Amino acid sequence: MPAIYARAMELGAPISYEVLEPGTPVLTSDGHELGKVAVVLADEGEDVFDGIVVDTRAGAGGHRFADADVVGEIREHGVVLKLDREGAASLPEPSANPAVMTEDPADPQSGVSGQIEDKLRRAWDWISGNY
């Protein structure tokens, strides 16, 4: 059973994604440990944080991608997602050929799914050693 952390647990001071270390615990918003940081994805040329790949092998199994939008806090001793345990269960797996999401040109978010597909592909490249 995964660890459950009380909000009172000291996660340390806020830190930049640039110094976030692999192996750092990743917690859901309701205090469950989802796994550990496997890799931090960023566009270094643009200095933009894209998200993290979470190694969940000790829990549900495999790797999951948490987009920057669902990362709530990055601290010295833990990352806290904006998702609760149930929501985190639906995080996508990185893959070489992520599912194509339909785009609606009338949608102001159009183009976002392509960005997520690129992030999932980059996460897969890291996991498979093709980076």
Side-chain angles (χ1 to χ4, degrees):
M1 178 166 183
I4 299 175
Y5 293 89
R7 291 302 285 169
M9 178 189 170
E10 181 55 50
L11 294 176
I15 61 169
S16 167
Y17 71 88
E18 296 172 309
V19 295
L20 180 59
E21 294 288 330
T24 302
V26 178
L27 311 173
T28 60
S29 63
D30 52 356
H32 292 272
E33 184 172 342
L34 178 64
K36 308 275 187 207
V37 172
V39 68
V40 177
L41 292 178
D43 182 341
E44 294 175 15
E46 297 291 322
D47 191 28
V48 175
F49 173 59
D50 285 332
I52 57 175
V53 176
V54 182
D55 182 348
T56 63
R57 286 181 282 191
H63 290 89
R64 297 288 184 264
F65 175 70
D67 193 49
D69 291 344
V70 301
V71 175
E73 299 177 46
I74 300 174
R75 296 186 166 266
E76 294 171 316
H77 307 294
V79 175
V80 182
L81 301 180
K82 295 177 183 176
L83 304 172
D84 62 13
R85 187 176 187 181
E86 185 177 320
S90 66
L91 288 172
E93 291 183 63
S95 67
N97 296 304
V100 176
M101 300 176 187
T102 53
E103 300 220 13
D104 178 357
D107 183 354
Q109 292 290 317
S110 185
V112 172
S113 65
Q115 294 170 3
I116 292 173
E117 290 170 17
D118 290 343
K119 292 176 188 179
L120 289 170
R121 195 171 294 109
R122 284 187 18 236
W124 174 257
D125 288 345
W126 180 86
I127 291 167
S128 63
N130 295 327
Y131 53 100

